[in-house]
Amino acid sequence: MCVACDWAPHFQAFGGHAVNRRAVLRSGAAMTATAMTATAMTATGMTATALALDRVPTGARAGQGSGRAAAAEPADVVFHNGPVYTVAGPAPWAEAVAVRGNTIVHVGDAAGAMALAGPATQVVDLEGRLLMPGFVEGHTHPFLGAFLTSGVDLQLDDLAQVLAAIEAQARAHPTGPIRGFGWRVDMFPPEGPNRAELDAILPDRPAFFFAIDGHSLWANSRALAMAGVDRDTPDPIPRFSYYARDQKGDPTGYVLEVNAVLELVNAVEPISVAAMGSLLEGWLPKAAAAGITTVFDAGVPPVGSDQAAIIALYAEAEKRGTLPFRVSASYSVKSLPIDDTVEQFNAVRRQVSSEFVHVDIVKIVGDGSQGGYTAWLIEPYADLPDSTGGSPFTEAQWHDLVGAVDAAGFDVHVHACGERTARVALDAIEKAVANNPARDRRHAIAHLVYVEDSDAPRFARLGVTAQFSANWSSADPDTLQNMMARYGAHRASRMYRTRTILRQGGRVSFGTDWPAAGYVSTYEPLKSIQVGVTRQLVGRPDAPVLSPAEERLTVAEAIHANTMGAAYQLRMDDRIGSVEVGKRADLIVLDRNILAIDPHEIHRTAVVLTMMDGVVRHRA
């Protein structure tokens, strides 16, 4: 089989070239055919080729100091004639990169890369395009996103448009439940949506619609009845995950937080392994087209209580050759009991483990969201002064849970929208550090809408990664209206202080938290990076800048958060996250240099090629 012939289709758009087939054959035994495995790339209708080459051992980082690799064997691919942004390593910029098998073997000057070119090496002319590491998503939900966004899109400006979209969806799908995602909290009063609006247009069919923050649901009377929810139904977690009720005690159709939400969803349209697998398969090419080469799945929708059955779908996609990214999955803890957390986590780890898929982290759902008054605050909500929100766990339970996971040698990843959750999580980690043996810890706390001044320096001191969904940090209508109402001017003017964490010596990672968002849902890292840099709505260069404006990052800082920052969080920084000799060939090519353009244009950038583990996963 001709290596040059099989690689060529992926690179023709770049002006790539190689010695012709006749020349390759003339080279005889020096370039014997290499086993090839074809992988369908459904995003583009082309066929990608997975190279089953001899792999350079992880520890063999030849030429690390000079950026040159030992030339015992030729490279399979050489990229040149375009800027290479390395993110980390000896130098931030390079002229060329060479890849052999799944490993980067040269980063440096073009002459050094070309010296590794053999008769079958695919030489790719970048024609000025930017080569950089693939994006590492430090917090996202592929299964939830694929499920939630498979219905009607309700990311619209007002309630009338939302109801019209629901009616249109019902006409287009005349049987079965109607579902959707994306209604914005700011279009309803503080008590949330009501089933009456849905009953008026869908009196006989069950319907439920997820809010854009992913933490609440709007259901009609038929859906509530199918779930057996009435005035006598107990709330799964009182005052945290519950069914909102009117003055008579009847459910309004507003359902808050995951326990109550899953009870209703599974009664109306049960989550199944087969359905989740099909939905994921449809999304995977989109992830590759967004330049994503690694994800941290921060929680899957379980089938009953079985999280492993869903996580295993990643490994099945890997076997089929359709998984375009590495997966660090989590075992989620969202409510009591917690005594057997480590045991349950280890059971899932044993069930799901492959080359690209691992269950590495315990995810703790520490609170809810500000929109539904379920984020756990230190001071009361400005517009609900008798409430500070809540958590599924008491402070004592927090200490027990984090302490047990840490003592077993594992990392926690905490959902913390509220500042009290962030503080209690830091307290629990600090206690674990004091009580348990010293080790390399990679704990992370996510979202961090608002953090008190006294707690911000603790991230650096305790070595805790501050994980931000940068795409949340724009001055959008939800933030300017809803969050201002919830927090009051003092707190609302000091949200998402990413640069503060960096300035104090802390580590930051990015992840979109798809599908959850405050105003615009996206799984695309480029859009998240742009918001992290501008703190403005994408596509609106004249939009307000979210205060404090000095929290805006540089493009380089934002890229680092979505590559090396997230790779460090996931304990993969020795293998991925930067373009360095000896690391895995997880690379993307962008049609423009995002470090040299107006940051407001970053979202227009196209990912023209995605390579993961040395295999082309996407080509535009």
Side-chain angles (χ1 to χ4, degrees), residues 10 55 82 132 174 194 227 293 361 371 401 414 426 433-434 445 451 462 502 536 608:
H10 299 299
R55 304 269 170 108
M132 61 174 284
N194 194 287
T293 54
I361 294 166
L401 176 56
V414 177
L426 288 166
V433 170
I445 303 177
V451 175
L462 295 172
L502 290 176
Q536 294 171 286
V608 293

Side-chain angles (χ1 to χ4, degrees), residues 197-461:
E197 292 107 342
L198 295 176
D199 291 346
I201 58 175
L202 293 170
D204 302 318
R205 296 171 63 186
F208 58 86
F209 306 96
F210 291 89
I212 196 167
D213 66 5
H215 283 262
S216 57
L217 194 72
W218 178 23
N220 70 351
S221 294
R222 181 65 181 139
L224 292 169
M226 288 183 67
V229 177
D230 57 28
R231 64 171 57 188
D232 298 318
T233 303
D235 293 325
I237 305 177
R239 297 180 300 281
F240 179 71
S241 184
Y242 62 94
Y243 306 101
R245 302 171 193 274
D246 60 22
Q247 292 181 346
K248 297 178 181 179
D250 293 319
T252 64
Y254 187 30
V255 184
L256 291 100
E257 296 306 329
V258 63
N259 300 71
V261 166
L262 284 177
E263 283 188 3
L264 187 140
V265 170
N266 280 320
V268 176
E269 193 174 17
I271 293 169
S272 71
V273 173
M276 283 295 166
S278 177
L279 290 168
L280 177 73
E281 199 74 16
W283 181 73
L284 293 178
K286 298 177 183 178
I292 299 169
T293 54
T294 298
V295 304
F296 170 59
D297 190 319
V300 301
V303 177
S305 60
D306 188 356
Q307 300 181 44
I310 298 295
I311 299 171
L313 292 170
Y314 285 126
E316 292 177 16
E318 178 185 354
K319 290 177 184 177
R320 293 192 300 271
T322 58
L323 186 71
F325 48 66
R326 305 174 195 278
V327 179
S328 172
S330 61
Y331 173 77
S332 293
V333 182
K334 57 184 183 292
S335 60
L336 298 175
I338 58 173
D339 294 344
D340 62 346
T341 294
V342 173
E343 178 184 348
Q344 294 294 329
F345 171 58
N346 274 319
V348 175
R349 279 171 55 83
R350 289 191 294 269
Q351 290 179 65
V352 186
S353 180
S354 66
E355 182 180 2
F356 295 148
V357 184
H358 302 272
V359 185
D360 303 310
I361 294 166
V362 173
K363 161 74 179 297
I364 301 174
V365 181
D367 66 356
S369 68
Q370 282 82 357
Y373 300 96
T374 52
W376 200 19
L377 311 189
I378 292 173
E379 299 295 331
Y381 283 91
D383 58 346
L384 193 64
D386 61 346
S387 175
T388 56
S391 170
F393 314 109
T394 66
E395 291 196 31
Q397 290 164 345
W398 269 98
H399 287 262
D400 290 344
L401 176 56
V402 173
V405 174
D406 183 86
F410 300 114
D411 300 326
V412 297
H413 185 103
V414 177
H415 168 105
C417 277
E419 64 274 11
R420 186 172 183 185
T421 311
R423 175 174 290 179
V424 171
L426 288 166
D427 290 344
I429 291 169
E430 188 166 29
K431 183 177 180 181
V433 170
N435 291 345
N436 297 332
R439 67 180 181 89
D440 176 20
R441 292 176 166 87
R442 305 285 178 98
H443 299 308
I445 303 177
H447 308 318
L448 304 172
V449 176
Y450 171 74
V451 175
E452 288 282 359
D453 290 346
S454 59
D455 289 321
R458 302 175 70 195
F459 285 87
R461 190 164 70 247

Side-chain angles (χ1 to χ4, degrees), residues 84 230 301 440 497 509:
V84 177
D230 57 28
D440 176 20
R497 292 189 288 168
S509 77

Side-chain angles (χ1 to χ4, degrees), residues 4-31:
C5 300
D6 286 339
W7 273 87
H10 299 299
F11 301 113
Q12 286 173 350
F14 296 77
H17 61 278
V19 178
N20 64 33
R21 187 175 189 274
R22 184 174 301 170
V24 172
L25 295 176
R26 278 202 304 265
S27 66
M31 287 303 298

